């Protein structure tokens, strides 16, 4: 990357009316993401190939944004464009590039569970922003969309975090080095890393999951944590999967948040016993994830953990994926 | 490094009587080190080419260790081998490799100020351990000496820290990912990085400098800190000097320790104004250091800061160096 430092969006390299003219439409996918990555609370995240959300965006002749359809949300998301994170982010973008005259209709197809800890709102928001960027022929670096995506997060979670939207937008592993000014660094990763995700269908709202985290901590625990994040980042650069595994320990957030997840430590014991490189909470939970060195181990882990949750009468969704290096993509 | 994980020393690949036989001697240099590196409190350090300490070690016919001479210490260090960090570390090593029968005499030549925050005791200890390793023809990875060097630190500072001894022993930039078990990772760095060091001759004992650090901190400050250490490690791997500079900020330790250093913030302002990449406290101080992109800037910074301290009637030593990738070396 030539410029990792994203502080302010001044003049995206817009903007011509697309070749399709008014009425043109685009269908975009954006990926789910795993934030925190065990030892990188609030500063690390990565994208996966599945699940993800889809947006179909159509240009209309009439200024303003409408949301004509939302599927897969069990009626939980608002159709009001002033209250939906997708339309709010897109609106901020349009204002910033001086195109408040543009009229848009949005269909949002949720292909992943809401409140899962997999960056559900981020995936939708990024899909929407990538759709409008594509429709307007904006050639600017996708990273320039980040501040708009964070506006959506602010609405969804009460705080403008970037550890889901940044990897959803940029793909791969992303470090948010600093929020003020915003400074985002894309990190490499070993090619052979697989990710097993299990979403136990219990309710852990993001806001509440944040509130239970301790505001005051011991320096010695913080030292342990930053030794580990430094080790994880080193392992990513060195393609050293064992170092990645040794470093993925969390003495600060996991001990508290794991209480909200059914049989968290039992699931970890099972996953590690089956050969996982590491195991932890995705974002604020309740989804959990494991890194593995191959697809077979990842599939075995999701299968066995799902069986275990079924035994507890808890439904679950499972996903097996490599890391998604591309971020959002146009489906049609 | 093939094996970054150093947990236990079981059987160094010893040990023949050296070709020189009893009476053989060796003269070893080991480098000064900058621990913490601003945002990596207790887990990061690097070695410089100067200053450093020297040990001359001679094999005697009679079991046991003697210290016949110490120079450059103004009489502050004990000649009693049971109380000197060099002999204590060497003694631990000899016991571990089953060679308590070996007789040694040690001369320690301090070529750097004691209590400077530049890893003075570590340099001496590492020089001693590298000397005995050389005399005994021990071909084991130098990293295997680390636990013995930490015994010396435990005696010198009250705690067995590794952020000075590890870079003194291994050279370059070193991350201590974990202490239990000990897990040390050698990090790369940009070739063109220069280090300017200024030691203001005021007294800041390591023990006291540790005691003033807060034991309880805010989570939000810890998040800032681990975003920065992750950024610094990324910058080292990416050879991105600007990212290294942006990441070298410390919101937790520097605000407290800087109070013990005369005109710390004024010196920082001066160094940054002259083009430093970053500026901070070396170890527990009072030495300060700056990274620069060239030798000329480093020399200018040391000169101007020394002048400033002279104006405050404070004597100082200054050093300009690239990063020392070799660690200790045999001088003769």
């Amino acid at each position: 990357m030539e410029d990792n430092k994203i502080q302010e969006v001044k003049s995206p390299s817009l903007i011509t009316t697309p070749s399709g003219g008014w009425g043109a439409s685009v269908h975009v996918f954006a990926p789910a993401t795993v934030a925190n990555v065990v030892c990188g609370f609030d500063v690390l995240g990565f994208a996966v190939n599945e699940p993800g959300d889809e947006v179909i965006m159509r240009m209309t002749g009439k200024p303003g944004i409408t949301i004509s359809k939302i599927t897969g949300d069990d009626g939980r998301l608002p159709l009001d464009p002033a209250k939906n994170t997708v339309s709010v982010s897109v609106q901020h973008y349009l204002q910033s590039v001086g195109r408040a005259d543009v009229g848009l209709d949005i269909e949002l197809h949720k292909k992943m569970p809401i409140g899962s800890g997999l960056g559900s709102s981020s995936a939708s928001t990024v899909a929407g922003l990538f759709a409008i960027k594509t429709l307007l022929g904006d050639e600017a670096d996708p990273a320039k969309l980040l501040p708009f995506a964070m506006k959506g997060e602010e609405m969804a979670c009460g705080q403008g975090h970037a550890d889901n939207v940044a990897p959803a937008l940029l793909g791969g592993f992303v470090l948010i080095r600093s929020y003020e000014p915003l400074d985002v660094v894309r990190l490499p990763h070993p090619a052979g890393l697989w990710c097993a995700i299990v979403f136990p269908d219990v309710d852990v709202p993001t806001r509440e999951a944040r509130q239970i985290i301790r505001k005051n901590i011991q320096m010695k625990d913080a030292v342990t944590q930053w030794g580990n994040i430094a080790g994880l980042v080193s392992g990513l650069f060195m393609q050293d999967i064992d170092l990645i595994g040794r470093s993925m320990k969390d003495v600060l957030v996991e001990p508290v948040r794991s209480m909200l997840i059914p049989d968290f430590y039992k699931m970890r014991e099972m996953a590690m016993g089956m050969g996982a490189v590491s195991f932890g909470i995705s974002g604020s939970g309740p989804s959990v994830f494991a890194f593995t060195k191959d697809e077979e181990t990842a599939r075995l882990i999701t299968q066995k953990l799902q069986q275990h949750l079924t035994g507890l009468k808890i439904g679950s969704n499972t996903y097996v994926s490599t890391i998604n290096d591309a971020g959002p993509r146009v489906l049609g």
Side-chain angles (χ1 to χ4, degrees), chain A residues 26-30 51-58 67-74 77 84 86 105-114 120 123-125 127-128 331:
Chain A
V26 69
H27 184 176
V28 166
F29 164 91
D53 282 346
E54 296 176 21
V55 158
I56 297 170
M57 187 178 284
R58 236 180 310 268
I67 301 173
S68 59
K69 191 190 278 187
I70 302 178
T71 66
D73 70 326
D74 293 330
L77 299 180
N84 188 292
V86 182
D105 180 67
I106 294 170
E107 285 182 23
L108 171 59
H109 299 286
K110 299 293 299 177
K111 305 275 184 169
M112 57 188 285
I114 296 171
S120 169
S124 301
T125 301
L331 297 177

Side-chain angles (χ1 to χ4, degrees), chain A residues 12 14-15 88-99 129 132-133 136 138 144-145 148:
Chain A
L14 287 195
I15 281 169
V88 165
S89 309
V90 170
Q91 186 66 45
H92 274 287
Y93 168 84
L94 287 175
Q95 276 162 358
S96 159
V97 300
R99 289 303 302 267
L129 286 166
I132 184 61
K133 177 182 190 297
L136 293 184
D138 180 357
K144 303 273 184 194
L145 298 175
F148 308 111

Side-chain angles (χ1 to χ4, degrees), chain A residues 116-184:
Chain A
S116 55
L118 294 169
S120 169
S121 63
S122 297
S124 301
T125 301
V126 167
L129 286 166
F130 199 73
I132 184 61
K133 177 182 190 297
T134 304
L135 280 176
L136 293 184
D138 180 357
E139 299 289 342
D141 186 337
K144 303 273 184 194
L145 298 175
L146 193 48
F148 308 111
M150 288 173 68
K151 287 282 181 191
E153 286 297 273
E154 203 175 317
M155 174 176 253
C157 315
Q159 279 183 285
H161 283 280
D163 48 356
N164 287 112
V165 282
L169 189 61
L170 305 176
F173 255 93
V174 178
L175 164 69
I176 297 98
R177 204 262 320 153
S178 153
Y179 278 90
E180 290 179 18
L182 189 58
D183 190 0
V184 172

